[in-house]
Amino acid sequence: MTIIRQGSLFDLQDLYDLEPTHRFEAVFSTIYIDPLLAVVSKKALYGAPVQLNYAAMIYSLVARVLERIPTIKDLIKRLKHDYMFRLDCGFLLSDTIPSEASYSRMLSKIAESPVLERVQETLILQAMTEGFITDDTIAIDATHIEARDQAPSKEEKSKPEPKKRGRKSKEEKEKWLQEQAEREAALPIFEKRIEAQLDASLVELRSAVPLDPKWGIKKNSEGKNVFWFGYKGHFAVGTKSQYILQSLFSSGNLNDGKAAIPLLKGMQERLSELKISYSTLDAGYDYLAIYQQIYRIGAQSVIAYNKKNESELEGFDKHFAPTCVREHSYRYDSYDATYETLKYTRPKECKDCPLAEDTLCQKVYKVKITTDLRRYTAPARGSKAWKTIYKQRSAVERVIAYLKEFFQLNNVRYRTGKRAKVHVDLTHLVYNAAKLACDRIAKSIANKENIQVA
């Protein structure tokens, strides 16, 4: 089997080849921290004077991720003993080095506000303005994030009451159905079926995401179940630029598919200037509601199909392309966006078929994708164009690998979900900031080379 070597995600080496001072400046310059300062700074003029340099504290948290410093305690130790690092973070020699408690109070203020999401959005919009984000395809995937706390012992479930044998009467069945409907309506939105998210607002969905650490389960590449106690990070990544365009942090037991609609709505409402044509996801997201949401934002779904014990349709192949009388698959030809119609042409095998002129074997077959959004996608399933777009989904997997290996995504050291979310959001922000800094450096080098050639 041929081994395909993946190229570098982006050239971090150009960033780390710089002197530490210039490296920090390159990353810090991409982050607009004024909203963060407004949240953490003292509001009243009265009371004890504030002696903390909040701007430098925020930059030091960014530097902690860049330098892979494991804990706040280690960060404070580095600030005390490395004067150049202290100056690079923005502290003056006369400034008092903040304590762990000071950092903790600042992070608690940030945790109570969606300010990090606004700063992330500002950075993405800046990258779009500078021409570094021009994606027409996004890839969505999730990853597990382990909690540092010891997992609680599993509670023993009480045995359900034995079911009454025999068929329910009409009155009993109606009462039971009503109770089921009331119970379903009372559930939080992320415990309902995915379809319930379609008509919910983005604010409602984001505010209802469960954040507490829970037991999670997922199949690995070998098909075996992997368990962990902690959280999940959900990411929507531009497959060409490889920026994180949207992210969501949740409890570890949240189904991957239930995070897709909030991510897609975030793309539609917060990054409406970016016209997305395709959304590519793996088979874990094969739910009709997700196809419907992608259709609502004006994009096409490229999602691996999950049979879910469904029988194959007669007269169609495994990719839902029609088949002729002799069961040869029709070939995907084109997609008509005006009428939202897929066009299939007669199979090659039918060229010399005696039934070619028969009415049972038509030359062209057309079907509207709205007939079944899950089965009919543009480009058609199984086509070369569909496979080419689906392969781009590997971009989100590489980004997640970078986040874990170089940006401390899996280094959550907080007991509460809100504080853990701040860590993941900060990781997301620093990754995009480093990406933008690298793109600016690469553009500057290219401009210098062009000038020298001219």
Side-chain angles (χ1 to χ4, degrees), residues 265-410:
K265 289 194 174 190
M267 291 292 305
Q268 183 183 24
E269 295 185 21
R270 297 181 175 180
L271 300 175
S272 57
E273 298 89 348
L274 192 63
K275 301 303 179 184
I276 299 300
S277 300
Y278 304 101
S279 297
T280 177
L281 305 89
D282 64 26
Y285 297 87
D286 183 29
Y287 294 93
L288 179 59
I290 296 176
Y291 289 89
Q292 291 171 337
Q293 181 60 43
I294 294 173
Y295 179 76
R296 288 183 181 185
I297 67 173
Q300 299 294 339
S301 307
V302 181
I303 305 175
Y305 192 78
N306 189 346
K307 285 187 177 180
K308 301 178 182 178
N309 299 322
E310 299 172 2
S311 58
E312 293 186 5
L313 292 176
E314 187 176 349
F316 296 86
D317 66 9
K318 63 179 181 179
H319 299 302
F320 308 105
T323 56
C324 68
V325 177
R326 299 176 68 181
E327 297 187 354
H328 296 302
S329 298
Y330 275 64
R331 294 174 293 167
Y332 170 66
D333 181 83
S334 59
Y335 173 67
D336 188 338
T338 305
Y339 298 100
E340 299 181 326
T341 302
L342 298 174
K343 178 183 176 182
Y344 294 89
T345 57
R346 180 179 286 170
K348 289 181 179 180
E349 295 84 354
C350 294
K351 184 178 180 181
D352 300 322
C353 178
L355 299 175
E357 302 302 325
D358 198 302
T359 56
L360 295 175
C361 190
Q362 60 193 72
K363 292 183 178 180
V364 175
Y365 188 96
K366 294 184 178 180
V367 59
K368 291 179 71 69
I369 62 171
T370 50
T371 304
D372 190 333
L373 289 172
R374 184 165 165 249
R375 289 174 173 169
Y376 300 111
T377 64
R381 289 185 180 277
S383 65
K384 185 176 179 181
W386 188 95
K387 292 176 181 178
T388 300
I389 296 171
Y390 186 73
K391 286 179 182 178
Q392 297 179 35
R393 196 186 61 81
S394 62
V396 66
E397 295 175 344
R398 296 202 303 277
V399 168
I400 288 172
Y402 258 70
L403 289 173
K404 287 191 170 184
E405 186 173 355
F406 299 108
F407 293 90
Q408 302 195 70
L409 178 65
N410 212 19

Side-chain angles (χ1 to χ4, degrees), residues 4 40 103 120 137 141 151 170 185 211 225 236 295 306 320 328-329 340 344 357 392 398 413 428:
I4 300 174
V40 302
Y103 275 104
Q120 291 167 1
T137 305
D141 205 355
K170 186 177 180 181
L211 300 178
N225 289 333
Y295 179 76
N306 189 346
F320 308 105
H328 296 302
S329 298
E340 299 181 326
Y344 294 89
E357 302 302 325
Q392 297 179 35
R398 296 202 303 277
R413 294 177 177 268
H428 168 179

